[in-house]
Amino acid sequence: MTDLARVAAQWHGELPVAVVHGEVDASNVAEIGVALRGLVTNRSSVLVVDLSPTTYLDSAGINLMFSLGDELRGRQLKLRLVIAPGSSISRMLSITGLDKAYPTYPTLDDALSA
Amino acid sequence: MPQPSLDELLETLRKLQALQRVTDVGIGYLPLEQLLNELLQRIAEILDSDTAAFLLLEEGGDSLLATAAKGIEEEVEQGVRIPVGRGFAGRIAAERRAITIEDVDHADILNPILREKGIRSMLGVPLLVEDQVIGVLHVGTLHPRIFDAADTELLQLAADRAATAIERARLFHQRGVVEALQRSLVPEALPEVPGLELAARYRPAVRRGGIGGDWYDAFTLGRGGLALVVGDVMGHGIGAAALMAQMRTGLRAYALDGHTPAGVVDRLNRLLLTLGQRQMTTLTYVVLDLEREQVTLVSAGHLPPLVRAPRGETAVLAVDGGPPLGVSSVSTYRETTFDFPAGSTLLLATDGAVEVRGEGIEAGLERLRTLLAGAGDLVELCQTVADGEVRGSPADDDVAVLGARLQLLPDTLRTTWPASAETLPAMRPLLRRWLGRWGAAEDEIYDIVVAVQEASANAVEHAYAPGAATYDVTAEHEQGVIRVVVSDRGSWREPRGTHRGRGISMMRALMESVDVTQDEQGTRVELRRTLGREAA
């Protein structure tokens, strides 16, 4: 993976959390996709993607979230997104309707306790 | 003293001719191992001995290693080591004189192979290069023999010539290895960062065995960051170059892992100490933030960096420096941040660039500062420094020099990019800087950058038949309105797939107007946004 972005995996019991640091664009979205999909297991019914430390997300990244959500749904799994309210990322999500398609939470704790 | 007989004279002549063969020009170019074996063959013939062996002083100088042998090949196969000062060879090296043994059975011999082989008498001499012992040469016979002064003189003559040949072959070999190593360690190409000019030079030391541990490095970090390094591992030769390789790799690893500049240098210090080599290393590590137009510096006992401001004033940067790396595990390093406005130049170098023996470092730094003040082209500046301009003559130490200049951005930004998604992250810091110039707010910068990048991603995607395709991005500002045109020479394709086509809707949401025009020349997307209006 390039130094542009980094996916840090966290396990809260059986529940996987992918924390996406840095910038996601068309140049690294494929690698980010591989990292996120690598965290999907059948032991948990949920995947949390924490976009609060993400500093840039373009349509390639947003498309990835939609595709990932579709795939999870096909396996009876749920996608939860953590988005810092009022951030540039949250504006991109509302422009594209991603925040309507999947439940979003202001903090990781909220996403975990939901 | 009786006159020598004709036979004796002929014998001496034969030996002199044989000795001549030890110094044949031709064998000087053989690989070391072959050279040593060839020399032993000739020396055994001259001295009429059954065995002959070279033991060479190992790095560190504490022991001799059997390196080539004739008649006692086991010595080399088993890698026999003799401590300097002990045994036959060890004493020759320590006492720097010839030693003869008439009867091996009654002598202080460390190496059992000599006895096992049935050697009875021995003669050994030191190998000297410029008065330094580099090893030992000894010969032996299977029958008792008394080596006389003439034998000793002859062997010492052979040893002197052999020592020179060995040293030459060894340096030649070592230089080849170190140069290959060094070439692989200096970055093949400096990163291409739009809006930034970079130049660097590395010049190996010219003196004997002087290839050293200086290096430079430059690589991009995430979000408009660029890492610049100039460092100096003390010492020379393969050891220094290999350690430098480890330092360079370690630094990159820590930096790419997202540590702060001081955190990177702290870790590098501990890394060096765990490598068990108390080999001092100095370095300056700089993170250049293109968007904020700042440099953050950490110095570990290194020559201070110099800077030239956009208006031309030059200064030696007062970095809060820590001790060299590899000295103490409790050393701590602090970072210092300076403004680095567009038009500024940063110059990093190693001691070799400025140091003149018998003179304080300040005088050299002052001359470097003067050179920087009058410098035009950055590549030329680095070349001049590497060539020894500051010292008045080429350095006898190696020199690494790295320069960075943040370019002033023009009112209208005209850029051309290869049609590759890799250009997107490189473009963002440039666009952000340019938008910042016109007073765009954080949110506005973000929105406009996303819109321009969506149009650029489309241009990359439309491209094209294989080949070196490019696209253009032109950004203009007029009375508070930002206008960006992204044009390519491909044909617009309707986005396909379930999750495609969000790019164009994002552009429309983020900008006041988005006009897409197409003709046979290609596709042109014009984006406009007035600064200071309500955010999307």
Side-chain angles (χ1 to χ4, degrees):
Chain A
M1 196 175 290
T2 64
D3 55 309
L4 201 56
R6 186 161 57 86
V7 175
Q10 292 179 5
W11 296 90
H12 295 261
E14 299 272 279
L15 197 154
V17 177
V19 187
V20 183
H21 297 265
E23 307 193 347
V24 181
D25 67 12
S27 74
N28 65 351
V29 69
E31 295 163 85
I32 300 293
V34 169
L36 295 181
R37 290 182 176 104
L39 289 172
V40 178
T41 70
N42 287 327
R43 278 175 292 149
S44 169
S45 59
V46 174
L47 173 68
V48 178
V49 176
D50 184 353
L51 295 174
S52 42
T54 311
T55 51
Y56 184 83
L57 189 71
D58 71 355
S59 68
I62 287 172
N63 287 341
L64 170 65
M65 295 305 140
F66 274 107
S67 304
L68 184 67
D70 286 354
E71 289 165 33
L72 291 172
R73 190 176 295 137
R75 296 170 62 173
Q76 314 292 322
L77 307 175
K78 292 191 184 74
L79 174 66
R80 290 182 195 161
L81 299 171
V82 181
I83 311 289
S87 64
S88 298
I89 303 286
S90 89
R91 278 188 297 125
M92 296 307 120
L93 263 63
S94 67
I95 287 171
T96 53
L98 184 61
D99 58 348
K100 310 285 185 306
Y102 296 98
T104 64
Y105 302 87
T107 68
L108 181 54
D109 282 346
D110 292 327
L112 291 173
S113 58
Chain B
M1 202 170 154
Q3 287 295 308
S5 69
L6 183 60
D7 277 356
E8 281 171 331
L9 279 174
L10 284 175
E11 176 61 13
T12 307
L13 185 62
R14 194 186 64 77
K15 285 184 175 176
L16 281 174
Q17 281 172 338
L19 182 63
Q20 190 58 45
R21 297 175 51 211
V22 175
T23 52
D24 270 357
V25 216
I27 65 170
Y29 296 95
L30 291 175
L32 185 60
E33 194 187 327
Q34 230 173 309
L35 168 73
L36 294 178
N37 286 322
E38 192 62 36
L39 288 172
L40 287 180
Q41 186 67 37
R42 294 178 185 195
I43 287 163
E45 273 175 39
I46 300 166
L47 270 295
D48 198 18
S49 70
D50 299 305
T51 68
F54 279 115
L55 294 98
L56 298 185
L57 197 66
E58 294 192 283
E59 217 171 310
D62 297 333
S63 55
L64 295 159
L65 177 68
T67 311
K70 179 191 172 300
I72 40 172
E73 284 79 1
E74 295 86 342
E75 221 184 49
V76 177
E77 285 157 19
Q78 295 176 14
V80 168
R81 279 198 168 75
I82 307 290
V84 170
R86 297 190 53 205
F88 172 59
R91 272 171 50 221
I92 296 168
E95 296 167 25
R96 305 159 53 91
R97 64 178 182 92
I99 295 180
T100 56
I101 294 177
E102 279 174 37
D103 185 356
V104 166
D105 283 345
H106 298 97
D108 169 26
I109 299 280
L110 274 186
N111 181 3
I113 295 169
L114 302 177
R115 278 202 186 92
E116 285 160 20
K117 278 285 173 180
I119 296 173
R120 301 301 306 276
S121 303
M122 297 188 78
L123 165 64
V125 294
L127 295 168
L128 298 166
V129 172
E130 290 174 10
D131 265 351
Q132 298 290 312
V133 177
I134 66 156
V136 168
L137 165 63
H138 66 62
V139 292
T141 54
L142 298 174
H143 55 87
R145 169 171 167 183
I146 296 171
F147 287 103
D148 60 15
D151 292 329
T152 305
E153 201 177 326
L154 200 59
L155 188 65
Q156 188 63 64
L157 269 173
D160 290 348
R161 305 204 165 181
T164 310
I166 289 166
E167 190 66 358
R168 191 173 54 216
R170 205 146 63 159
L171 282 178
F172 185 71
H173 172 70
Q174 175 173 335
R175 189 158 291 183
V177 171
V178 176
E179 277 178 357
L181 192 59
Q182 206 124 35
R183 265 196 304 277
S184 72
L185 291 173
V186 167
E188 262 178 42
L190 294 168
E192 282 186 33
V193 181
L196 184 79
E197 207 184 323
L198 279 178
R201 282 288 179 276
Y202 171 73
R203 187 177 193 283
V206 285
R207 75 183 141 82
R208 190 172 68 92
I211 300 152
D214 284 12
W215 86 98
Y216 66 84
D217 201 4
F219 53 96
T220 53
L221 298 165
R223 204 183 155 98
L226 181 77
L228 304 171
V229 191
V230 166
D232 181 355
V233 174
M234 299 298 152
H236 294 94
I238 294 178
L243 187 60
M244 173 262 277
Q246 290 173 302
M247 290 292 98
R248 177 173 181 255
T249 308
L251 190 144
R252 276 198 179 219
Y254 293 132
L256 293 177
D257 227 12
H259 296 292
T260 61
V264 167
V265 178
D266 270 333
R267 284 169 175 80
L268 205 58
N269 179 47
R270 291 202 294 271
L271 174 70
L272 180 56
L273 288 164
T274 63
L275 293 173
Q277 302 195 43
R278 295 241 160 194
Q279 199 154 359
M280 261 191 359
T281 297
T282 69
L283 66 81
T284 300
Y285 174 48
V286 181
V287 174
L288 171 53
D289 185 327
L290 289 119
E291 288 173 38
R292 293 199 180 87
E293 303 196 342
Q294 284 180 334
V295 282
T296 300
L297 302 105
V298 183
S299 171
H302 198 79
L303 189 73
L306 284 93
V307 73
R308 189 173 76 182
R311 287 163 185 268
E313 316 89 89
T314 50
V316 175
L317 282 180
V319 177
D320 186 1
L325 305 177
V327 173
S328 160
S329 60
V330 297
S331 300
T332 53
Y333 298 92
R334 285 193 199 83
E335 47 194 62
T336 320
T337 299
F338 296 92
D339 284 337
F340 195 66
S344 302
T345 307
L346 181 73
L347 191 66
L348 308 172
T350 52
D351 292 352
V354 299
E355 214 166 43
V356 175
R357 205 160 293 163
E359 179 193 87
I361 201 89
E362 284 72 21
L365 263 177
E366 180 52 29
R367 285 195 299 273
L368 184 60
R369 196 189 60 74
T370 309
L371 192 67
L372 174 63
D377 184 68
L378 197 60
V379 175
E380 246 171 65
L381 172 67
C382 289
Q383 186 67 56
T384 310
V385 172
D387 286 345
E389 176 72 23
V390 177
R391 306 179 68 258
S393 63
D396 48 14
D397 201 353
D398 47 349
V399 178
V401 55
L402 175 66
R405 181 178 291 159
L406 197 54
Q407 289 163 339
L408 284 163
L409 295 182
D411 287 356
T412 298
L413 194 64
R414 290 177 213 282
T415 57
T416 300
W417 305 85
S420 150
E422 303 298 323
T423 57
L424 300 176
M427 186 194 302
R428 288 198 289 273
L430 184 69
L431 282 175
R432 289 175 185 139
R433 270 183 70 204
W434 184 83
L435 289 164
R437 266 195 68 174
W438 301 112
E442 277 290 309
D443 279 358
E444 290 173 326
I445 291 176
Y446 192 95
D447 290 358
I448 297 169
V449 167
V450 169
V452 173
Q453 295 250 290
E454 294 299 340
S456 304
N458 280 336
V460 169
E461 212 172 313
H462 301 154
Y464 299 101
T470 60
Y471 66 97
D472 300 322
V473 177
T474 303
E476 290 172 306
H477 171 267
E478 205 183 330
Q479 296 182 334
V481 180
I482 300 292
R483 190 174 73 101
V484 184
V485 175
V486 179
S487 54
D488 63 53
R489 281 160 287 280
S491 53
W492 179 271
R493 273 188 272 144
E494 281 309 314
R496 284 165 295 177
T498 327
H499 294 302
R500 313 306 290 268
R502 278 200 185 88
I504 186 92
S505 60
M506 284 174 78
M507 278 187 257
R508 293 200 191 284
L510 294 168
M511 304 299 277
E512 274 155 38
S513 71
V514 179
D515 296 309
V516 181
T517 49
Q518 287 174 270
D519 56 25
E520 58 279 8
Q521 256 104 63
T523 305
R524 182 175 181 280
V525 179
E526 185 175 324
L527 307 158
R528 275 171 185 277
R529 170 139 171 195
T530 307
L531 297 182
R533 63 154 207 173
E534 282 290 293

